[in-house]
Amino acid sequence: MHFAHLFVPLHQKLKKMNIEQQIMSAAQAAVKALYQQEVPEKMVQLQKTRSEFEGNLTLVVFPFVKMARKSPEQTAQELGEYLQANCEAVAKFNVVKGFLNLTVSNEAWLSLLSDMDKEEHYGEKAADENSPLVMIEYSSPNTNKPLHLGHVRNNLLGWSLAQIMQANGNKVVKTNIVNDRGIHICKSMLAWLKWGNGETPESSGKKGDHLIGDYYVLFDKHYREEIKELVAQGMDEEKAKQEAPLIKEAHEMLVKWEQNDPEVRALWEKMNSWVYAGFDETYQKMGVKFDKIYYESQTYLKGKAKVEEGLAKGLFERHEDNSVWADLTNEGLDQKLLLRSDGTSVYMTQDIGTAEMRFQDYPIDKMIYVVGNEQNYHFQVLSILLDRLGFKWGKELTHFSYGMVELPNGKMKSREGTVVDADDLMELMVEDAYKTSMELGKFDDMTEDERREIARIVGMGALKYFILKVDARKNMLFNPEESIDFNGNTGPFIQYTYARIRSILRKAEDIQNTQNTLSNPSTLNEKEIELIQKMSEYGAAVEQAGKDYSPSGIANYCYELTKVFNQFYHDYSILNEPDENIKAMRLVIARNVAKIIKNGMSLLGIEVPERM
């Protein structure tokens, strides 16, 4: 049911500007007319009126007091009178000290609602051919273990950030760098050779990434036993860590890998293929994907070549032991190792190589790395090095630095097998959503397939929202029990409100049989205005989230909008409203609240169910 036609006569009376733009433009005209002064738009400060005062928007008058040569109160009074007489959006005003509180007219609110109703993605911007290209790297898993809770936060932040940047009119490329080489990979390979007995994902019934992760833990168990034994024989613990037979074998395997030993390479490819199949399954469940995946095994040699090139240009220096370093003392940092004395690369070198490949593949304008805050120094250095090497976005690269996820019982450690596995966590969340929904009677009159699908949407929504509502820069404590709650600041609360609105709209379509016109709209009540005003803030919330790289800003906006709708719905009926014009207008409001909730939650990678 579409109601855009209801508002056309009203809409035509007002300029094609949003309410704030109309008032700001009129305020500039007022200052010019009253005080003969041209003022820039940034000088006009408009904010939401505080709840204890009458009005919707407040103009800060202090910047104009000197021009008026009058008291703040007199200046505000004059500006208020001008705006009421000359700006259709302003119905009335009141003055509180140096603040001019403006009440917006019904016509302006309804015109705004009409504009919202016409745009499927109101408040979001579409990219065009001139839009900047933003590349976002996230996930960055190692192929020696499955994804865990820390990766979940990384992937959800990366995916959401990509959606937010796109909603701000950027072209976006989502990339992943897989750490598929190094000593940690060799540890899993060696353990499988020694104790695997040819076990495969098919023979074990395990996902490939889980199978390999088990061998990584097994390596560590045996390695610790060897260290303990050597220490018992009188060896110093640090030396025992280097002399343990297992670690020596793992290093030998790494050397063979670097020398392209056919047997080692074949084993590496086979075991990595198991892991990639497992990762793909996890990404699919999580609802994230990538436009391009890079592999460290393909980038590290390019990094070495780029460092050698920089060395030839005098950008870096070689020490007596043949190692290559970057001197960053002029930037207030230390010296940074780029190539070891034996010529092998370090993480920094690999990141340079990956940057080189990406720059060849895409005309990147901005590069964002989604990596935990323990790597802050690394990215500070990488930015300087890429700038030195001539990458145009090097200096401005963004490290989207986020805090760690901790559990009620402390930190996670992969090698000790104490991590919270991503697959297990997602399964738990979906099962919890199923049980909770059954207990609350939300699954009555549904088929089992419908129940399972809604439990998946609600369980994953609970997980994603719980993680994304927290300021990414902060460490967070993850508590699954708190996340699945149909009340409070949770994903299910917002999803349930969306489903409730969709139910109202379906019922409205069933019973609708009268002509809906709004030729003489009644006065909007306070709650209706509050809802329209809250919806109108969506565009600003999207823009701010893009500037701050802040999915939590979108999560908090969705929660606030949901709360305002629920307060309205508690106080006023929609379907039982006797006045057909008011009912029609409330249905338009409800439909647009649902649309904005759906679009906002989509920026977080969260689905919303049509019923629950």
Side-chain angles (χ1 to χ4, degrees):
M1 184 168 43
H2 294 282
F3 300 106
H5 66 280
L6 302 177
F7 307 110
V8 171
L10 298 168
H11 175 60
Q12 284 166 351
K13 294 180 192 174
L14 295 168
K15 293 173 190 170
K16 182 68 177 170
M17 279 194 276
N18 70 32
I19 290 168
E20 291 194 16
Q21 286 169 334
Q22 287 177 57
I23 293 173
M24 287 169 81
S25 179
Q28 286 173 286
V31 174
K32 187 175 181 183
L34 295 169
Y35 313 124
Q36 292 73 53
Q37 296 278 344
E38 297 266 3
V39 294
E41 193 178 279
K42 64 181 178 186
M43 212 170 156
V44 183
Q45 297 170 44
L46 209 56
Q47 55 202 33
K48 203 170 175 178
T49 303
R50 283 163 54 180
S51 56
E52 61 265 37
F53 300 116
E54 185 190 356
N56 309 114
L57 292 166
T58 297
L59 181 69
V60 182
V61 171
F62 295 110
F64 315 120
V65 170
K66 272 190 182 174
M67 299 173 190
R69 297 192 180 127
K70 291 173 184 168
S71 71
E73 287 81 0
Q74 282 178 295
T75 308
Q77 184 67 31
E78 288 181 355
L79 287 169
E81 287 168 3
Y82 181 96
L83 291 174
Q84 188 175 7
N86 295 282
C87 179
E88 287 182 347
V90 177
K92 55 183 179 172
F93 70 93
N94 65 84
V95 175
V96 179
K97 297 183 179 171
F99 296 92
L100 173 59
N101 300 323
L102 305 169
T103 298
V104 175
S105 68
N106 273 0
E107 285 194 350
W109 287 127
L110 291 169
S111 174
L112 176 60
L113 183 59
S114 171
D115 288 343
M116 276 180 208
D117 200 42
K118 289 172 191 158
E119 290 186 48
E120 192 184 339
H121 287 277
Y122 171 81
E124 299 178 13
K125 294 175 191 150
D128 60 37
E129 56 189 28
N130 299 316
S131 296
L133 177 68
V134 180
M135 181 176 276
I136 301 176
E137 176 197 290
Y138 58 98
S139 202
S140 314
N142 293 334
T143 57
N144 64 321
K145 57 192 175 188
L147 303 178
H148 56 61
L149 177 55
H151 290 113
V152 172
R153 190 178 199 191
N154 179 298
N155 278 280
L156 297 184
L157 285 170
W159 176 264
S160 179
L161 187 60
Q163 306 314 304
I164 290 166
M165 296 307 283
Q166 217 163 311
N168 276 286
N170 297 288
K171 289 183 281 194
V172 174
V173 175
K174 301 180 287 289
T175 68
N176 185 358
I177 174 73
V178 178
N179 302 303
D180 64 342
R181 63 175 286 278
I183 191 68
H184 48 293
I185 312 296
C186 291
K187 287 176 180 179
S188 298
M189 288 163 62
L190 186 60
W192 184 84
L193 275 181
K194 284 182 173 293
W195 304 294
N197 297 316
E199 187 179 28
T200 67
E202 290 73 28
S203 71
S204 65
K206 287 181 184 173
K207 277 177 83 232
D209 51 335
H210 288 244
L211 181 69
I212 302 307
D214 290 346
Y215 284 102
Y216 182 63
V217 172
L218 191 60
F219 176 95
D220 196 64
K221 180 179 165 237
H222 285 283
Y223 177 43
R224 283 165 180 268
E225 285 168 6
E226 286 185 352
I227 294 167
K228 198 173 170 186
E229 205 175 304
L230 290 171
V231 170
Q233 291 168 15
M235 192 181 283
D236 169 72
E237 189 176 346
E238 280 309 308
K239 193 170 182 195
K241 284 179 182 174
Q242 293 164 18
E243 294 298 323
L246 265 177
I247 200 71
K248 283 187 162 182
E249 276 190 82
H251 277 292
E252 284 166 22
M253 184 179 267
L254 180 59
V255 171
K256 284 183 180 177
W257 184 92
E258 297 228 347
Q259 291 168 346
N260 272 318
D261 179 282
E263 278 184 32
V264 171
R265 285 282 178 145
L267 175 64
W268 172 74
E269 282 176 9
K270 176 168 74 174
M271 291 176 72
N272 272 354
S273 72
W274 297 345
V275 174
Y276 297 144
F279 283 172
D280 287 346
E281 210 177 302
T282 306
Y283 289 138
Q284 194 177 354
K285 277 187 204 162
M286 212 182 286
V288 304
K289 49 189 156 186
F290 309 93
D291 301 307
K292 178 85 175 177
I293 297 180
Y294 293 89
Y295 299 89
E296 208 178 286
S297 56
Q298 296 166 358
T299 68
Y300 82 107
L301 290 174
K302 281 193 176 284
K304 285 169 78 168
K306 202 73 187 161
V307 168
E308 294 286 357
E309 189 186 303
L311 188 65
K313 290 179 181 171
L315 301 173
F316 310 130
E317 54 192 47
R318 195 184 291 281
H319 288 192
E320 281 179 18
D321 66 352
N322 205 37
S323 58
V324 176
W325 296 73
D327 185 353
L328 306 174
T329 49
N330 285 346
E331 279 86 0
L333 302 172
D334 54 9
Q335 295 208 338
K336 181 67 189 172
L337 176 68
L338 298 179
L339 290 175
R340 297 187 189 94
S341 53
D342 61 3
T344 56
S345 60
V346 294
Y347 271 118
M348 189 64 72
T349 328
Q350 290 149 19
D351 273 346
I352 291 169
T354 309
E356 166 85 346
M357 284 182 79
R358 287 171 175 163
F359 197 67
Q360 288 167 355
D361 292 343
Y362 298 96
I364 303 168
D365 294 298
K366 184 157 196 64
M367 182 73 214
I368 303 174
Y369 294 87
V370 180
V371 183
N373 57 15
E374 77 279 11
Q375 295 289 336
N376 286 355
Y377 173 75
H378 175 90
F379 284 98
Q380 195 182 352
V381 172
L382 181 63
S383 175
I384 294 166
L385 295 180
L386 291 177
D387 184 54
R388 273 194 198 178
L389 288 165
F391 293 93
K392 67 171 183 175
W393 45 265
K395 201 172 256 181
E396 279 84 37
L397 79 76
T398 298
H399 172 207
F400 179 64
S401 169
Y402 63 89
M404 296 297 100
V405 186
E406 292 176 5
L407 300 161
N409 59 357
K411 291 186 178 176
M412 303 183 291
K413 291 194 177 100
S414 306
R415 63 181 176 274
E416 292 170 20
T418 59
V419 299
V420 173
D421 178 83
D423 293 310
D424 293 346
L425 175 63
M426 290 190 284
E427 199 176 312
L428 168 76
M429 297 295 290
V430 172
E431 278 308 309
D432 281 359
Y434 184 91
K435 283 179 199 158
T436 305
S437 298
M438 285 295 272
E439 285 163 13
L440 294 171
K442 293 189 184 294
F443 279 167
D444 299 347
D445 307 324
M446 285 190 196
T447 66
E448 186 59 18
D449 283 350
E450 283 176 317
R451 289 171 183 168
R452 288 288 166 196
E453 176 60 2
I454 289 170
R456 180 193 67 77
I457 291 172
V458 173
M460 290 305 298
L463 170 64
K464 292 179 179 186
Y465 188 85
F466 194 88
I467 285 176
L468 293 173
K469 74 176 180 180
V470 178
D471 180 346
R473 290 163 297 194
K474 295 178 179 171
N475 286 357
M476 68 171 290
L477 190 69
F478 181 72
N479 190 335
E481 288 78 32
E482 284 178 25
S483 64
I484 297 186
D485 188 340
F486 288 85
N487 298 299
N489 190 4
T490 66
F493 170 67
I494 297 169
Q495 289 172 317
Y496 182 62
T497 301
Y498 174 83
R500 172 190 267 174
I501 297 172
R502 296 298 299 156
S503 171
I504 292 166
L505 294 170
R506 282 193 297 274
K507 284 175 187 166
E509 283 178 354
D510 292 342
I511 62 174
Q512 198 65 43
N513 55 12
T514 55
Q515 189 184 2
N516 289 290
T517 58
L518 206 58
S519 51
N520 296 302
S522 306
T523 303
L524 289 161
N525 67 46
E526 195 182 315
K527 297 281 187 196
E528 289 159 348
I529 289 171
E530 191 182 0
L531 258 178
I532 297 170
Q533 188 167 10
K534 193 72 199 170
M535 286 192 283
S536 76
E537 293 165 14
Y538 178 61
V542 170
E543 191 177 328
Q544 199 58 49
K547 282 178 184 166
D548 298 342
Y549 306 125
S550 174
S552 63
I554 298 295
N556 294 329
Y557 171 82
C558 289
Y559 175 57
E560 290 299 322
L561 176 61
T562 303
K563 271 199 310 186
V564 173
F565 176 81
N566 280 301
Q567 286 159 5
F568 162 77
Y569 191 64
H570 177 269
D571 294 347
Y572 296 97
S573 174
I574 296 177
L575 296 177
N576 295 326
E577 168 55 49
D579 185 313
E580 286 298 323
N581 286 329
I582 294 174
K583 184 201 285 187
M585 183 262 298
R586 286 181 185 168
L587 285 167
V588 178
I589 289 175
R591 184 173 68 236
N592 283 280
V593 170
K595 174 178 77 181
I596 291 172
I597 287 174
K598 184 176 185 174
N599 291 344
M601 293 292 266
S602 175
L603 296 186
L604 303 174
I606 298 174
E607 298 169 76
V608 283
E610 290 297 304
R611 57 184 294 219
M612 65 189 271

